[in-house]
Amino acid sequence: MEVKKIYTLRNGVEMPGVGFGTWKAKDGEDAFNSIISAIEAGYRHIDTATLYKNEASVGKAVRECGLKREELFVTSKVWNKARGYEKTKAAFEKTLNIMGLDYLDLYLIHWPAIPLQFEDWNDINLGTWKAMTELYKEGRIRAIGTANFYPKHLESLMETEVQPMVNQIEYHPGYLQQEVVDYCQANGIVVQGWSPLGNGAVLGNEFLAEMAAKYDKSVAQICLRFAAQNGVVPLPKSVTPSRIASNLDIYNFEISDEDMKAIAAMPETGFSGWNPNEIDF
Ligand code: A2P
């Protein structure tokens, strides 16, 4: 698959093909400085969530980095406690307020409501989606989507007026969720990959280290390029400036088809343990 530096979502909105992850970046200097480093290194796509408790620092960095707001693509996510129509609307206002921004580029439902937790899980998801759809139509969010949704969670949203544009899932060598990726790509939903380095857990993998040596790249760059070649937008997180910069440097080499297949065939490695069918949060 051709590697895109920029993806065009189904509504024409453009999204940079690598995003900067901020999960576990502590609010305050850690998060602020890492975003400034990322923007200096060339990232134009930043991913946060209400859960990460760093929206204030992310928003501050977006406002103070020296770029125009429209040069950046900023994502946040509604947390599980705010599911449903009214709570989602209120959560969105709170997020914009905390971030000090006028709009978001992308707003995602962080996790689906699921049958294990709620009899009316589908209605809850549809209520959340209705709120997001209205905010989208009012121009307060440029694109809307989901995170951690399986096809069965997406199906009813696909029947609504505005279909999801993005689904963000755990994605890294050793955990590819290929059925989810295939469903999304067949239905015009761009897949973003969270923890594209397995939250660090795949970086010591011997096979990936061999691949990295073969291409004269780091294991992280192999993971990120692998995602990009599979049409998945990786969201690497780091608070270390040299890593932040090297994680964006994935456009000057190509993994062969044979090696792509070999990486895809790796046994399960580095899975977070969060299966959207079983979560209890
Ligand atoms: P740090 O933030 O201390 O630099 P993921 O994006 O898959 O969740 O992985 C994030 C983890 O991987 C963080 O612990 C981060 O550490 C580490 N990390 C990010 N980029 C690199 C890299 N290029 N080399 C080694 N470790 C990295």
Side-chain angles (χ1 to χ4, degrees):
M1 194 184 286
E2 164 215 1
V3 166
K4 293 184 191 163
K5 282 193 168 173
I6 303 276
Y7 284 72
T8 302
L9 306 180
R10 64 163 92 248
N11 63 344
V13 165
E14 294 189 335
M15 179 175 81
V18 174
F20 185 65
T22 64
W23 180 43
K24 291 187 180 166
K26 279 200 208 86
D27 203 28
E29 278 190 6
D30 254 16
F32 181 83
N33 292 338
S34 69
I35 289 159
I36 297 294
S37 296
I39 290 171
E40 276 169 6
Y43 291 79
R44 294 293 178 265
H45 173 175
I46 298 163
D47 181 89
T48 184
T50 299
L51 177 77
Y52 306 166
K53 298 195 165 33
N54 58 18
E55 286 173 313
S57 308
V58 173
K60 187 170 186 286
V62 167
R63 284 183 279 112
E64 295 179 6
C65 69
L67 293 182
K68 291 196 195 108
R69 171 67 186 87
E70 60 269 27
E71 291 180 78
L72 292 168
F73 187 97
V74 182
T75 304
S76 193
K77 314 184 191 83
V78 58
W79 183 238
N80 300 357
K81 286 193 174 66
R83 290 180 183 125
Y85 178 76
E86 266 142 36
K87 286 195 208 154
T88 296
K89 285 238 166 147
F92 176 74
E93 297 305 333
K94 205 168 159 194
T95 281
L96 273 197
N97 230 324
I98 289 173
M99 297 185 86
L101 300 178
D102 299 330
Y103 69 91
L104 287 182
D105 293 279
L106 179 65
Y107 198 42
L108 305 176
I109 305 180
H110 207 146
W111 289 89
I114 56 169
L116 198 67
Q117 291 175 298
F118 306 99
E119 229 169 81
D120 58 346
W121 61 276
N122 196 36
D123 290 338
I124 296 173
N125 290 332
L126 285 169
T128 309
W129 192 245
K130 181 164 181 259
M132 297 181 65
T133 299
E134 287 180 10
L135 292 162
Y136 167 72
K137 287 172 74 181
E138 287 162 13
R140 310 199 57 213
I141 315 171
R142 295 178 67 231
I144 52 177
T146 57
N148 306 301
F149 273 49
Y150 282 164
K152 72 169 182 205
H153 307 123
L154 282 164
E155 274 159 13
S156 61
L157 272 53
M158 288 299 290
E159 303 295 320
T160 67
E161 188 187 353
V162 178
Q163 299 174 326
M165 294 151 198
V166 166
N167 188 29
Q168 182 182 123
I169 60 173
E170 179 172 358
Y171 186 90
H172 51 78
Y175 197 70
L176 301 181
Q177 309 202 66
Q178 198 57 49
E179 340 62 70
V180 184
V181 173
D182 289 345
Y183 174 89
C184 290
Q185 291 181 343
N187 284 283
I189 300 171
V190 177
V191 178
Q192 298 180 334
W194 61 261
S195 281
L197 316 175
N199 197 25
V202 300
L203 294 173
N205 181 274
E206 248 174 63
F207 170 70
L208 290 176
E210 280 168 28
M211 286 285 143
K214 175 171 174 184
Y215 289 92
D216 197 18
K217 289 282 163 186
S218 68
V219 171
Q221 287 166 330
I222 294 291
C223 294
L224 299 167
R225 178 76 197 188
F226 173 80
Q229 283 185 220
N230 281 326
V232 172
V233 176
L235 306 170
K237 175 262 172 187
S238 176
V239 293
T240 315
S242 58
R243 292 172 173 174
I244 290 172
S246 73
N247 288 348
L248 198 56
D249 183 21
I250 60 162
Y251 294 111
N252 52 4
F253 75 111
E254 179 156 2
I255 304 173
S256 71
D257 288 349
E258 196 190 345
D259 290 337
M260 287 295 288
K261 284 193 191 119
I263 298 171
M266 276 172 56
E268 186 176 299
T269 311
F271 172 42
S272 67
W274 292 318
N275 174 334
N277 276 335
E278 293 164 10
I279 51 157
D280 59 358
F281 49 81

